[in-house]
Amino acid sequence: MIPAAFDYHRASSLEGAAKLLAQHAGDAKLLAGGHSLIPMMKLRLAQPGVVVDIGGLVELSYIKRHRKHIALGALTTHASLAASTELGKSHRALVEAAGAIGDVQVRNCGTIGGSLAHADPAADYPAVVIAFEGEVVVKGATGARTIPAFKFFTGPLSTALAPDEIVTEVRLPTFADSGSAYEKFAQPASGFAVAGVCAVVQLDKAGSCRQVRFAATGVTDRPTRLAAVETALKGAPWNVHTVRAACERADSDIKHVLEDAYASADYRRHLLRVVARRAAERAMPLSQS
């Protein structure tokens, strides 16, 4: 299909893009990689009167390591994240999620900021930023603010962004003595998650679980922490038996599970338990005791 008519503006600066959004509040959309917005426009699920292209703002493409966190520019592509050996050492789940998105063309054009702002319930990054307890930095015509990841996603295709705000950076804390992994069961055509889980695990010297964070995507209308799994594992010995028993509870706190042509609610619950276990088992080495 052909999109409805719209005006096109190519932003030369972040400030200029924010002003255009404010000027056309409620009728403007940002274009970065385009792999979320353009398909929706073709299907006329989105019909913005104004499209503001920020794809040329190269200053928003970077990976920077700070003492306690990594900072990712909003226009950093999936391919750049997937290829980062440095990120793989401390944030393996992020690298795995980036490498599992779409196909080569999508990964070379799509961006982390665009994916988070689109907030598809089956996208991969939301589970990762929630599990790492990350932050999303946004900027509008009146200034910048930082939004905790757990407050950023408000529903399907819905976020805490104001109409004139742009995602500029994603920050993920760096945890000592930790490991992480991302697992998903993907839709065969799109690669979106039918069920996906990010596990972030920290062990103490005795091999018990000092801290653990699990988050799921594709299962509900927004990324969801798996509180029952975290409660069962925190303070427990990190071994095959405790991990598998805890992951069998992955869906126990989730009242409403998505159901569609790809999976019934019951099957999606089953998949959630399976991918949670697989993510946990790869996040940190398991003892057999």
Side-chain angles (χ1 to χ4, degrees):
M1 292 181 65
I2 300 173
F6 60 90
D7 292 331
Y8 172 84
H9 298 271
R10 185 167 177 83
S12 58
S13 68
L14 185 62
E15 292 74 17
K19 287 180 180 178
L20 282 167
L21 289 181
Q23 181 181 344
H24 302 280
D27 195 33
K29 289 287 187 181
L30 288 178
L31 177 68
H35 286 282
S36 298
L37 178 61
I38 291 176
M40 292 188 69
M41 290 176 64
K42 284 185 174 182
L43 293 171
R44 301 207 175 190
L45 297 174
Q47 298 186 44
V50 176
V51 171
V52 181
D53 186 350
I54 60 170
L57 302 183
V58 294
E59 66 270 24
L60 292 183
S61 177
Y62 56 82
I63 301 171
K64 298 179 181 178
R65 184 170 294 278
H66 299 273
R67 189 168 64 89
K68 293 185 177 181
H69 72 275
I70 60 163
L72 310 169
L75 295 188
T76 308
T77 64
H78 312 319
S80 296
L81 296 174
S84 174
T85 54
E86 185 67 20
L87 278 180
K89 297 175 184 177
S90 58
H91 296 78
R92 185 177 68 174
L94 175 66
V95 171
E96 292 176 342
I101 294 174
D103 55 26
V104 172
Q105 292 157 313
V106 170
R107 291 193 291 274
N108 276 290
C109 293
T111 65
I112 186 170
S115 177
L116 294 180
H118 184 58
D120 192 296
D124 300 292
Y125 287 135
V128 176
V129 298
I130 290 285
F132 273 101
E133 297 184 339
E135 297 176 328
V136 181
V137 182
V138 304
K139 187 172 184 178
T142 59
R145 64 186 178 118
T146 301
I147 308 171
F150 74 93
K151 291 184 177 180
F152 184 77
F153 305 99
T154 58
L157 307 179
S158 177
T159 71
L161 281 169
D164 69 327
E165 288 182 323
I166 302 168
V167 175
T168 60
E169 185 175 273
V170 181
R171 296 174 182 169
L172 300 182
T174 300
F175 302 115
D177 303 317
S178 68
S180 67
Y182 178 73
E183 280 279 349
K184 72 173 174 180
F185 185 89
Q187 296 176 7
S190 68
F192 277 107
V194 179
V197 170
C198 177
V200 181
V201 180
Q202 295 170 273
L203 302 183
D204 61 24
K205 293 182 179 179
S208 293
C209 191
R210 177 159 54 93
Q211 189 59 262
V212 61
R213 301 167 188 85
F214 278 67
T217 187
V219 179
T220 66
D221 68 352
R222 69 197 75 182
T224 305
R225 285 281 287 267
L226 302 181
V229 178
E230 295 175 351
T231 299
L233 285 174
K234 189 171 182 180
W238 187 253
N239 59 48
V240 172
H241 308 294
T242 56
V243 167
R244 291 185 177 179
C247 290
E248 281 299 308
R249 302 177 58 187
D251 65 312
S252 61
D253 288 341
I254 301 177
K255 293 182 179 180
H256 302 291
V257 173
L258 296 177
E259 189 165 16
D260 53 29
Y262 296 100
S264 66
D266 286 343
Y267 183 49
R268 204 172 238 110
R269 286 180 182 275
H270 165 73
L271 289 176
L272 176 62
R273 296 191 293 268
V274 171
V275 295
R277 173 177 57 78
R278 290 178 179 174
E281 290 176 344
R282 290 197 307 102
M284 291 292 280
L286 287 167
S287 68
Q288 300 298 314
S289 58

